[in-house]
Amino acid sequence: MTLDSLAFQMINGLASASGLFFVAAGLSIIFGVTRIVNMAHGAFYMLGLYLAVTLADRLPGPFGYWGGLLLAALAVGLLGAAVEVLLLRRIYHVPELYQLVATFALALILNDAALWIWGPEDLLGPRAPGLKGSIELLGRRLPDYDVFLALAGPAVLLALHLLMKRTRFGRTVRAATQDREMVAALGINQALLFTAVFALGAFLAGLGGALQTAREPANLNLDLAVLGDAFVVVVIGGMGSIPGAYVAAVLVALVKALCIALGTVEIAGWAFNMTKLTLVAEFLVMALVLVLRPQGLFGRPHGAPARGLASEAPLRPMGGTGLALAGAALVAALAVPLVATAWAYAPVLALDMLIAVIFAASLHLLMGPGGMASFGHAAYFGLGAYGTALAATGLGLPTLPAFGIGILAAGAGALVFGWFCVRLEGVYLAMLTLAFAQIVWSVAFQWEEVTGGSNGLIGIWPDWPFDSRTGLYLAALAVAVVVLCLIRRLIFAPFGHALRAGRDARLRAEASGIDVARIRWLGFLVSGLVAGAAGGLYAFAKGSISPETLTVGRSIDALVMVLLGGLGSPAGPVLGAGAFTLLQDTVMRETDYWRALLGVLILALVLLFPGGIAGGRLRR
Amino acid sequence: MSEVPVSGVPVLSVDNIAKAYGGVQALGGVSFEVRAGELLALIGPNGAGKSTCFNVVNGQIRPDAGTVRLAGRDITGMPPRAIARLGVGRTFQIAAVFGSLTVLANVETALAAARGKSFGLWRPQAGMARAQALDLLDQTGIAALAGRPAAGLAYGDVKRLELAIALAGSPRLLLMDEPTAGMGAHERLALIGLVRRLAAAHGLAVLFTEHSMDVVFGHASRVVVLARGRVIADGSVEAVRADPRVRAIYLGHAGTEAGA
């Protein structure tokens, strides 16, 4: 590494830090006042960039570029106001988890809207008038635009600071961030305040995106990528702190710059390419901050932990009807291979359903009795799939041992990540799970020698007797039955009660001598093992896997299955996974806009049936 | 039920504990003792340091200085669950129970925890300690509600359930933070009377903070008065009531409350 290459990478890093800061600041301001973590914030950034590219191209002259940028950001701000009025106002009173999935649904819909308007191709914007050149720094050429962006960050930070300190609006926002009830009691128009704050947050995200016009092409993957980064920044900086967001954005950018500048280093005779660490580095910084200072560098300690669903009914042993239904379902599942001659697709669909049921049951254990909403459950599914696949193809192990290794790999991941996660609550926990899932995804994507990179692994076929469609199906059915029975035992055992006790009233449970963190950790481990089993089955069912196996989308699928089935019911994940897979394999396959369809489904679920299928009708 | 005589060995001894927040001295060297069978009321005007003192004893706050001993053993700075396992039960100012469990399962869960069985993965919990759980519900007067979900209970019954949960750990010391807060006058006296009977029957030491003077002067064995983080009086109900410093500092602030 040379010093000038480091300096060069740092300016570059500061330029990207600015964009990230705008998004994170918006996210932070919105959370501070409304207590909503806006999962659609990355989509606002993406839309800002798309709109700016379109407008900068259409509008004439130098005004066209800069005016287009501003117009794009304002349009996104307006969209934010509309979203607040039409959607968020209906979900302020629902549990945190539902708010998270509802705003994620919005992100899905916005992503498909962008696909519909701009198409799937990347869009490259024009270069910025007046800033097309470059300056020379330490013998390297640095684009003017990067320097401009690196300066834009502190400028907006200063503007926000003045807005917050010097204006009535700013004072109201700060007061609301500290004590919402008090602001309501003071007679401030809360509805208007929330709309304004959401519009401001969306505007900042839109501006962050728009400013990237001359730097990177607009594409449809930006929303999730930016959202993950912004989460990391907000968590590091401290939820609700704007200076914290800037410091964190810079910190993350500098760590990445350092990784790139270091290049390939030799550690104990083993050449290691540090640039590959860039995707993981920010998450490592975040994990470190969360362990040392859970409220973030500039954050205040967060208040009372979020409660589970208060209306959940106590568990009762399965009655006659329940047993009869479960028996009927098992008989129907056993009969599936018999109809294969008439309907060849039946075993394929049924196998997909079983895998989904196991995966959903695993997440349900964590989210329902455990009270821990995981937004990154795909990590354990993926570890199971990759573990199984590598053991089967790389090591050439027979099917059963390979499957076992997959499960253990997922368990190991859950043990490590869970240790961090169980110390947090609510949205912080959700964000950390998402961040860990992104780490696993990055590793699968970048560690080409082992994981095959973006191509993944192929030729994962089970041996006899699992090599036929029926054989594998029956094996999966056996796994599903065993898993569901095991989870049921756990739930009724002291462990399940302690898990629920820790969720219902953590301090009460601690005061009774329950080690809530360790109970939750064990819950995390069990959930990870089960998700790994689902992943292993998936690898054998598909014969090939890729990083696609563990994207955020898969985590969200599992969330939707659990919510669809109903969080408060043990039968929920079975019903939810079945219904969702049916929907996915039939309706969603028919359209390019399945994301929007899924988004609408989620919104309908949250707004109309928060109890899920098993939960029955709406209770408020 | 026979009254257990107050023995000479203190169950809890708090020695010279201090705690400051920023520049504010919340506790400035507080010492007192609680003996078996005794109900010690910790009172004082708002901001006197009652809650801080209480949270130091139960392990939620680590003091800057001083020691907390349970039957002679130093427990200063231990986490709440470790203190719980050594025989300290507690109830919260806003009663907390496990809402998604039945009343019976609430107590069974606490019993399992007390026996170190919370990590039991296979045998169902129901039936493990049913008789004992029902006995505790009987003692606290809510046995008839055993099968009901805890979330739907009336507040007075929630308080009793929480007491049953706290007793499940067979505590030597019971910490009660404002045990009668949020209850009507009749319920209030019934609950503290129940606590007094249970303390006598089990030889429990009870430390409680309280705002209602009828509860304090009617049922406490002894009263410790805090003001600005220091003990200004420690003695029998009569002695404390007659203490001119208490009348000046404490009753001056809350004369109407004390007169009730």
Side-chain angles (χ1 to χ4, degrees):
Chain A
M1 173 184 71
T2 53
L3 206 59
D4 56 325
S5 81
L6 180 65
F8 175 80
Q9 287 299 341
M10 278 189 176
I11 302 278
N12 202 346
L14 285 178
S16 26
S18 291
L20 200 50
F21 161 63
F22 296 161
V23 183
L27 200 63
S28 211
I29 293 173
I30 291 174
F31 178 80
V33 175
T34 67
R35 289 293 181 275
I36 283 195
V37 173
N38 179 27
M39 301 278 284
H41 223 62
F44 288 155
Y45 172 95
M46 183 183 77
L47 288 182
L49 179 50
Y50 267 110
L51 282 170
V53 167
T54 311
L55 290 173
D57 255 352
R58 304 275 158 87
L59 300 175
F63 168 79
Y65 184 85
W66 299 105
L69 255 58
L70 198 63
L71 275 180
L74 286 173
V76 174
L78 214 59
L79 175 69
V83 163
E84 199 277 338
V85 171
L86 295 175
L87 173 65
L88 296 190
R89 282 191 187 175
R90 291 167 214 279
I91 59 169
Y92 285 130
H93 63 279
V94 305
E96 218 167 44
L97 170 68
Y98 287 85
Q99 298 173 345
L100 287 172
V101 292
T103 52
F104 188 83
L106 181 66
L108 291 173
I109 295 170
L110 292 178
N111 189 289
D112 264 0
L115 171 67
W116 183 64
I117 299 173
W118 288 287
E121 303 297 326
D122 288 10
L123 280 189
L124 195 58
R127 299 178 67 194
L131 292 176
K132 288 180 183 168
S134 56
I135 57 163
E136 199 161 305
L137 183 89
L138 299 164
R140 289 192 184 223
R141 305 200 68 77
L142 201 61
D144 285 345
Y145 199 73
D146 279 14
V147 178
F148 161 72
L149 274 185
L151 295 175
V156 170
L157 175 64
L158 183 68
L160 280 175
H161 177 78
L162 292 177
L163 178 72
M164 292 295 161
K165 289 273 148 98
R166 298 284 165 83
T167 66
R168 193 180 136 73
F169 171 74
R171 278 194 295 273
T172 313
V173 167
R174 281 192 297 140
T177 304
Q178 282 183 6
D179 191 341
R180 279 199 297 173
E181 281 71 28
M182 189 49 85
V183 169
L186 286 174
I188 285 160
N189 184 340
Q190 215 177 351
L192 197 63
L193 174 70
F194 279 27
T195 310
V197 161
F198 204 82
L200 172 66
F203 167 80
L204 283 171
L207 184 66
L211 282 171
Q212 300 297 317
T213 301
R215 217 167 161 252
E216 64 175 322
N219 71 72
L220 293 167
N221 298 321
L222 278 177
D223 52 352
L224 280 180
V226 166
L227 185 70
D229 285 354
F231 271 0
V232 170
V233 163
V234 168
V235 169
I236 293 176
M239 209 67 162
S241 163
I242 297 170
Y246 185 70
V247 171
V250 170
L251 186 67
V252 164
L254 292 187
V255 169
K256 281 188 177 183
L258 191 66
C259 285
I260 296 174
L262 280 173
T264 305
V265 292
E266 289 222 354
I267 303 168
W270 186 50
F272 187 75
N273 190 352
M274 291 293 283
T275 55
K276 291 199 170 180
L277 262 181
T278 48
L279 278 175
V280 182
E282 63 193 77
F283 294 108
L284 292 180
V285 175
M286 175 169 86
L288 197 68
V289 167
L290 278 175
V291 172
L292 298 178
R293 201 178 148 81
Q295 70 270 37
L297 296 176
F298 289 74
R300 296 159 187 281
H302 11 101
R307 285 279 319 273
L309 297 176
S311 58
E312 190 177 324
L315 281 176
R316 307 276 183 200
M318 209 180 249
T321 328
L323 278 175
L325 282 175
L330 184 60
V331 169
L334 282 169
V336 164
L338 302 179
V339 301
T341 44
W343 183 28
Y345 187 58
V348 180
L349 178 64
L351 182 56
D352 280 354
M353 278 188 181
L354 285 177
I355 292 169
V357 164
I358 299 169
F359 189 34
S362 132
L363 181 61
H364 180 265
L365 173 68
L366 201 63
M367 281 174 60
M372 294 175 276
S374 167
F375 272 66
H377 219 53
Y380 315 104
F381 187 91
L383 282 170
Y386 269 92
T388 301
L390 286 170
T393 58
L395 303 177
L397 289 181
T399 299
L400 283 178
F403 184 55
I405 285 183
I407 293 174
L408 290 180
L415 213 53
V416 174
F417 299 152
W419 191 87
F420 295 96
C421 292
V422 299
R423 279 156 176 74
L424 303 175
E425 303 275 351
V427 291
Y428 278 78
L429 189 146
M431 287 197 239
L432 190 62
T433 52
L434 178 68
F436 280 132
Q438 289 303 96
I439 291 186
V440 177
W441 177 84
S442 307
V443 171
F445 195 80
Q446 297 198 2
W447 199 8
E448 280 181 30
E449 303 81 8
V450 174
T451 62
S454 58
N455 296 326
L457 300 165
I458 51 166
I460 314 149
W461 300 117
D463 355 302
W464 187 89
F466 312 111
D467 53 351
S468 70
R469 198 160 272 178
T470 307
L472 189 62
Y473 170 75
L474 290 177
L477 182 59
V479 173
V481 170
V482 167
V483 159
L484 291 176
C485 291
L486 267 178
I487 289 181
R488 215 172 155 75
R489 284 300 294 212
L490 287 181
I491 292 300
F492 281 89
F495 167 71
H497 283 87
L499 198 58
R500 284 151 65 98
R503 175 199 66 182
D504 287 355
R506 183 167 191 158
L507 289 179
R508 173 71 264 167
E510 296 268 357
S512 295
I514 296 174
D515 190 339
V516 175
R518 285 185 74 173
I519 289 282
R520 292 172 122 201
W521 196 23
L522 181 61
F524 220 96
L525 171 64
V526 174
S527 176
L529 291 168
V530 173
L537 286 171
Y538 177 87
F540 283 130
K542 303 294 167 191
S544 66
I545 52 168
S546 68
E548 196 73 3
T549 315
L550 37 74
T551 51
V552 181
R554 184 167 303 277
S555 299
I556 299 299
D557 285 354
L559 270 171
V560 175
M561 289 180 218
V562 170
L563 294 180
L564 189 63
L567 206 52
S569 158
V574 179
L575 295 176
F580 182 80
T581 312
L582 197 62
L583 206 65
Q584 198 176 37
D585 281 16
T586 52
V587 182
M588 290 185 191
R589 228 165 236 182
E590 300 299 314
T591 166
D592 285 339
Y593 298 103
W594 59 269
R595 282 182 210 84
L597 202 65
L598 180 60
V600 170
L601 173 75
I602 298 174
L603 284 183
L605 202 60
V606 169
L607 294 174
L608 304 177
F609 304 102
I613 300 175
R617 65 191 172 76
L618 175 67
R619 263 184 307 181
R620 276 220 178 127
Chain B
M1 255 176 240
S2 66
E3 293 273 330
V4 173
V6 172
S7 78
V9 189
V11 174
L12 174 72
S13 59
V14 172
D15 187 21
N16 214 16
I17 52 171
K19 177 78 192 174
Y21 294 105
V24 184
Q25 193 76 29
L27 291 177
V30 168
S31 307
F32 58 85
E33 290 176 345
V34 195
R35 289 158 204 280
E38 190 179 40
L39 263 70
L40 178 69
L42 187 63
I43 65 170
N46 285 333
K50 297 187 301 279
S51 301
T52 308
C53 184
F54 205 76
N55 286 329
V56 166
V57 173
N58 70 44
Q60 265 175 20
I61 296 175
R62 182 188 284 271
D64 300 334
T67 50
V68 181
R69 286 197 179 81
L70 185 70
R73 177 173 179 179
D74 190 346
I75 58 164
T76 322
M78 283 190 183
R81 61 170 182 279
I83 291 179
R85 291 211 192 98
L86 293 175
V88 177
R90 75 163 295 191
T91 63
F92 292 82
Q93 185 173 348
I94 297 169
V97 295
F98 311 129
S100 72
L101 307 181
T102 61
V103 168
L104 183 65
N106 263 269
V107 181
E108 286 176 329
T109 303
L111 283 168
R115 294 168 179 183
K117 297 220 165 109
S118 290
F119 285 91
L121 303 178
W122 189 248
R123 274 187 56 204
Q125 177 174 286
M128 274 183 180
R130 190 184 165 84
Q132 205 185 340
L134 281 171
D135 179 46
L136 282 168
L137 291 179
D138 201 36
Q139 287 184 44
T140 47
I142 47 171
L145 304 174
R148 295 263 292 272
L153 296 181
Y155 194 60
D157 293 329
V158 172
K159 286 274 188 185
R160 285 164 183 267
L161 175 56
E162 199 190 24
L163 185 58
I165 293 173
L167 290 174
S170 320
R172 285 182 277 189
L173 173 68
L174 190 57
L175 303 172
M176 305 184 84
D177 195 3
E178 305 260 347
T180 67
M183 301 177 89
H186 179 70
E187 271 185 312
R188 207 154 66 200
L189 294 176
L191 184 80
I192 200 74
L194 171 67
V195 172
R196 191 163 137 183
R197 284 196 304 280
L198 290 170
H202 297 279
L204 271 175
V206 180
L207 172 66
F208 70 106
T209 61
E210 187 54 67
H211 267 117
S212 329
M213 289 304 130
D214 54 346
V215 169
V216 173
F217 291 135
H219 293 270
S221 328
R222 204 152 54 82
V223 181
V224 166
V225 186
L226 285 184
R228 298 204 186 87
R230 291 179 187 280
V231 176
I232 60 159
D234 179 351
S236 68
V237 170
E238 294 74 28
V240 164
R241 214 203 293 248
D243 192 319
R245 284 169 304 172
V246 177
R247 299 190 77 90
I249 297 177
Y250 183 74
L251 301 184
H253 283 275
T256 47
E257 226 183 328

